[in-house]
Amino acid sequence: MNNKKVVLAFSGGLDTSFCVIYLKEELGYEVHSVAVNTGGFDAEEVKAIEERAFALGVASHKTIDETEDYYNDSVKYLIFGNVLKNATYPLSVSAERVCQATAIANYAKKIGAEAVAHGSTGAGNDQVRFDMIFNILVPNVQIITPIRDLKLSREEEIEFLQKHGVEINAEKAKYSINKGLWGTSVGGKETLTSNLYLPEAAWPTPITKSTPETVEIEFEKGEPVALNGKKLKPTEVIQQLQDMAQPFGIGRDIHVGDTIIGIKGRVGFEAAGPIILVKAHHTLEKHTLTKWQLSWKEQLASFYGNYLHEGQFHDPVMRDMEAFLTSTQQTVSGKVIVELHPHRFVVIGIESAHDLMSNKFGSYGEMNNAWSGEDVKGFSKIFGNQVMIWHKVNNQDQE
């Protein structure tokens, strides 16, 4: 052993288990594994990951809880922006990887590691996110990526581990599961195709609820702060809403997107909490923001989500966009009532002191209290005046 330190991003799954053995036995590194919990693991799961790391022979293992930082640095703005990539995916993994890579880079600096390693393949987005952030934050530290460099299949990884006396549940290893505060991703042989859907057994949360439930979500300046009248931290609202809604099978889907490296990719996900929160928050915004606030928010949030998806969290332009998104949330306070059903949910309505749909000024399609019919006639004529002139000048009238 040459006692060179390598910090390994460790989840306890097949890929990172392979990395421990390979780095230690084949490359002679002293492996220091790090699991970054972004809100997806409870105490029992954290303990199981730690035990797994030591059973594989790491020199040390560290669990870093980044749940609150993850929310404050990323998830909060995904809610503010109602971000669903390709109108589908709440960036369950994308934003999480940025948080994890940043924490791992800082830990590598802290212990004076000569290298950092991760278990990404050569076909996905994670390799770019991890490599880029490591290059930004620890540019003098070597990056090692065994799975990518050796171009290994999952079957080859299992075979390698078995040769080194490490038993792997081959059936369980068929699917790659990633749990975090903002949803769980699921990858398997079906997501490598364009026409197959994940089987029921692949989803981490079984469907056990069928009786409809009503939930009231309270927002304060755009942030979720209470559930059914109980005040909670935003992270707790997300987790408890997820626990409440996921057993209905709500929020299951397969995202099809463009990877950073230019190929199409599919990933399954279950994210009942995030999907409900985004839709509930958006509904509240439609009642409390002006049309141009909503319009510019939509455009800016789309770019913000795409840029975060590509791992560009550390670009200072992200702070500029976050400042704009935060500014728009000053009146986004109130309650949203949501009804949960098997495989779906319904946003019933909102209650807010900032509701612009106030009957003090009129009721849409019925009556108004702030203008007369003659006012509308004049407004309509002026509103279309320039287009009328264009048609007359260019002989485009319809006579």
Side-chain angles (χ1 to χ4, degrees):
M1 295 283 285
N2 56 20
N3 288 323
K4 291 187 297 182
K5 289 182 181 178
V6 60
V7 169
L8 169 67
F10 185 78
S11 67
L14 175 61
D15 294 333
T16 55
S17 295
F18 173 91
C19 287
V20 172
I21 302 299
Y22 182 81
L23 291 166
K24 185 164 64 85
E25 302 297 336
E26 302 293 325
L27 300 186
Y29 274 96
E30 180 182 287
V31 181
H32 298 265
S33 57
V34 179
V36 182
N37 184 12
T38 54
F41 300 117
D42 58 27
E44 188 177 322
E45 289 168 316
V46 166
K47 184 180 178 183
I49 292 171
E50 180 180 335
E51 290 174 350
R52 174 73 172 167
F54 283 117
L56 290 166
V58 300
S60 74
H61 178 81
K62 174 76 171 178
T63 299
I64 303 174
D65 194 325
E66 285 287 306
T67 306
E68 295 300 325
D69 287 339
Y70 178 39
Y71 170 80
N72 287 315
D73 293 344
S74 296
V75 171
K76 177 171 69 176
Y77 300 106
L78 296 178
I79 297 173
F80 288 177
N82 309 310
V83 175
L84 294 175
K85 186 167 175 59
N86 291 2
T88 303
Y89 182 49
L91 301 189
S92 301
V93 174
S94 316
E96 181 184 71
R97 290 292 186 256
V98 169
C99 174
Q100 291 170 331
T102 300
I104 289 162
N106 290 333
Y107 186 70
K109 281 192 287 189
K110 183 178 178 180
I111 71 167
E114 296 181 33
V116 288
H118 58 88
S120 302
T121 69
N125 292 315
D126 286 347
Q127 58 177 330
V128 178
R129 297 175 185 131
F130 275 106
D131 282 12
M132 180 173 61
I133 289 171
F134 292 159
N135 282 325
I136 291 169
L137 299 182
V138 283
N140 298 319
V141 172
Q142 182 186 359
I143 301 169
I144 305 172
T145 54
I147 309 299
R148 176 175 64 186
D149 296 345
L150 297 171
K151 299 180 180 179
L152 296 173
S153 67
R154 295 180 75 79
E155 292 74 19
E156 288 171 323
E157 292 178 58
I158 291 170
E159 184 180 347
F160 175 88
L161 287 170
Q162 288 174 338
K163 284 181 179 177
H164 285 80
V166 179
E167 288 303 316
I168 290 287
N169 184 329
E171 189 64 28
K172 188 177 179 181
K174 284 182 179 180
Y175 294 97
S176 175
I177 309 292
N178 186 88
K179 294 175 67 178
L181 177 70
W182 206 231
T184 300
S185 68
V186 187
K189 63 180 182 180
E190 293 84 5
T191 57
L192 299 176
T193 73
S194 297
N195 66 323
L196 296 178
Y197 198 75
L198 289 163
E200 185 63 30
W203 298 104
T205 307
I207 296 175
T208 56
K209 287 185 176 182
S210 59
T211 303
E213 296 177 16
T214 299
V215 58
E216 183 183 276
I217 306 164
E218 185 175 345
F219 291 88
E220 217 170 80
K221 293 187 176 180
E223 296 191 67
V225 296
L227 206 57
N228 289 334
K230 182 182 178 182
K231 290 288 184 180
L232 299 164
K233 293 192 298 184
T235 52
E236 293 171 333
V237 171
I238 296 166
Q239 289 167 328
Q240 291 187 25
L241 181 59
Q242 180 79 352
D243 291 342
M244 187 184 301
Q246 201 64 63
F248 281 101
I250 295 169
R252 289 181 176 185
D253 207 342
I254 290 185
H255 167 59
V256 182
D258 299 288
T259 64
I260 303 168
I261 57 175
I263 61 176
K264 295 284 185 182
R266 290 176 92 214
V267 64
F269 65 91
E270 57 171 43
I275 294 292
I276 292 170
L277 278 172
V278 165
K279 294 296 185 181
H281 175 267
H282 192 203
T283 300
L284 183 59
E285 280 194 329
K286 286 188 283 187
H287 280 264
T288 58
L289 298 184
T290 67
K291 70 176 181 179
W292 291 116
Q293 282 181 299
L294 289 166
S295 177
W296 282 107
K297 267 190 79 267
E298 185 176 339
Q299 296 174 61
L300 199 69
S302 176
F303 181 89
Y304 182 87
N306 285 329
Y307 213 39
L308 185 63
H309 171 74
E310 294 180 352
Q312 292 284 5
F313 172 81
H314 293 284
D315 189 322
V317 74
M318 299 294 276
R319 309 294 82 78
D320 300 328
M321 288 186 282
E322 288 161 3
F324 173 86
L325 291 171
T326 300
S327 175
T328 66
Q329 300 300 294
Q330 299 312 299
T331 60
V332 186
S333 297
K335 298 174 183 178
V336 184
I337 301 93
V338 179
E339 205 168 71
L340 309 179
H341 299 265
H343 299 288
R344 67 184 179 91
F345 65 95
V346 181
V347 178
I348 302 299
I350 70 105
E351 297 174 7
S352 173
H354 303 283
D355 188 357
L356 299 179
M357 195 174 161
S358 170
N359 58 16
K360 293 179 182 177
F361 305 102
S363 300
Y364 178 68
E366 294 185 12
M367 65 182 72
N368 69 77
N369 303 320
W371 59 84
S372 69
E374 290 302 313
D375 291 336
V376 177
K377 288 179 184 178
F379 169 76
S380 301
K381 190 171 184 178
I382 294 170
F383 190 56
N385 190 44
Q386 189 171 74
V387 179
M388 179 273 291
I389 293 170
W390 186 94
H391 278 266
K392 284 196 174 292
V393 168
N394 293 286
N395 299 312
Q396 295 293 319
D397 57 354
Q398 301 299 312
E399 294 179 4

